[in-house]
Amino acid sequence: MYNYIIFDIDGTILDTEIAVLSSLQKLLLEELNEKFSFEDLRFALGIPGEAALRKLGITNRLESMEKWDRYFKEYFHYVKVFDDIKDTLVKLDEMGISLGIVTSKTKQEFVNDFVPFGLNDYFKFVVCADDTEKHKPDPEPILKFIELSGADQSKTIYIGDTKYDMDCAVGAGIDFALALWGAKSSTGINANYIFENPRQIFELINV
């Protein structure tokens, strides 16, 4: 049985894909004068924004991050909590399961993008991008979480939607469950569990 469940945010708790990629498209059109498709930019989902900009060849990354955040706000109305997530979190909390978050969002992005949905009280520990030197797919964020929480790795599982999430979990020595409602495909991801709906998370309690 797992008694600690760690969640990713983007693509797992919140559906942010349209807002993230649309705002990134707008930034790149301005900075590089080039129009990228969503498919071109999907790699940016699940890693820190600064790392995504570096991969795209953006040199003025601090200024560009500020612009990207500003443009993200223009598309924020597209962001929503995935169906059945809130009810699942409420019930897991009532069952005494400890819940946490490991995200590629910075602390400020966490405050701006996640806190408004009113779910943060369900999570005992949160590790953001600026809490560690290395980031997903490196295991350091989950190892930091384990250090802070004292969680037993053998009874801890990470739920996410990307290969970055899986690699982070495997490297940290914990199990991984794929949130297919956000990932949309399991190709190339070797998860311990694949869930099509958040309600299936309850299956982890009796494992």
Side-chain angles (χ1 to χ4, degrees):
M1 170 180 160
Y2 299 99
N3 55 25
Y4 230 121
I5 300 177
I6 312 171
F7 289 82
D8 177 38
I9 291 179
D10 292 337
T12 304
I13 296 176
L14 297 183
D15 186 353
T16 57
E17 182 173 315
I18 291 175
V20 168
L21 298 185
S22 296
S23 54
L24 181 54
Q25 272 183 333
K26 181 173 180 176
L27 173 70
L28 295 173
L29 187 59
E30 179 179 323
E31 293 295 320
L32 302 178
N33 196 30
E34 188 173 350
K35 180 67 182 287
F36 290 83
S37 70
F38 272 19
E39 201 55 47
D40 293 333
L41 301 177
R42 197 157 271 118
F43 77 90
L45 300 170
I47 59 175
E50 195 272 340
L53 294 182
R54 190 185 313 117
K55 284 178 177 286
L56 287 160
I58 298 292
T59 53
N60 58 330
R61 290 189 289 275
L62 183 59
E63 179 187 347
S64 293
M65 281 296 295
E66 291 173 355
K67 284 184 181 179
W68 189 0
D69 183 59
R70 194 160 65 247
Y71 297 157
F72 180 82
K73 289 180 174 65
E74 296 177 10
Y75 295 93
F76 194 74
H77 58 284
Y78 285 108
V79 179
K80 67 182 183 68
V81 179
F82 280 107
D83 292 344
D84 297 319
I85 280 287
K86 184 171 183 179
D87 286 346
T88 300
L89 295 176
V90 169
K91 289 175 184 174
L92 288 170
D93 184 62
E94 290 173 349
M95 294 167 72
I97 303 299
S98 296
L99 305 177
I101 284 175
V102 168
T103 177
S104 292
K105 289 183 179 297
T106 63
K107 290 178 182 177
Q108 192 58 55
E109 289 170 336
F110 178 82
V111 170
N112 293 343
D113 306 344
F114 184 74
V115 171
F117 291 96
L119 300 176
N120 49 304
D121 287 345
Y122 294 107
F123 301 97
K124 292 187 177 181
F125 296 94
V126 176
V127 172
C128 295
D130 31 14
D131 288 318
T132 59
E133 288 186 17
K134 296 178 180 178
H135 307 105
K136 296 185 287 186
D138 191 273
E140 186 174 335
I142 288 179
L143 292 174
K144 179 69 173 179
F145 181 94
I146 289 167
E147 175 192 330
L148 292 172
S149 64
D152 180 342
Q153 283 158 281
S154 68
K155 296 182 179 179
T156 302
I157 190 166
Y158 187 41
I159 301 177
D161 65 303
T162 69
K163 189 176 185 300
Y164 304 127
D165 297 324
M166 180 197 74
D167 289 342
C168 184
V170 170
I174 69 171
D175 286 347
F176 176 70
L178 180 66
L180 201 57
W181 58 87
K184 301 179 179 65
S185 170
S186 60
T187 303
I189 299 178
N190 185 23
N192 298 92
Y193 307 92
I194 297 177
F195 295 144
E196 296 181 357
N197 184 285
R199 291 190 301 269
Q200 292 176 278
I201 293 171
F202 295 114
E203 297 172 12
L204 298 174
I205 309 308
N206 298 314
V207 171

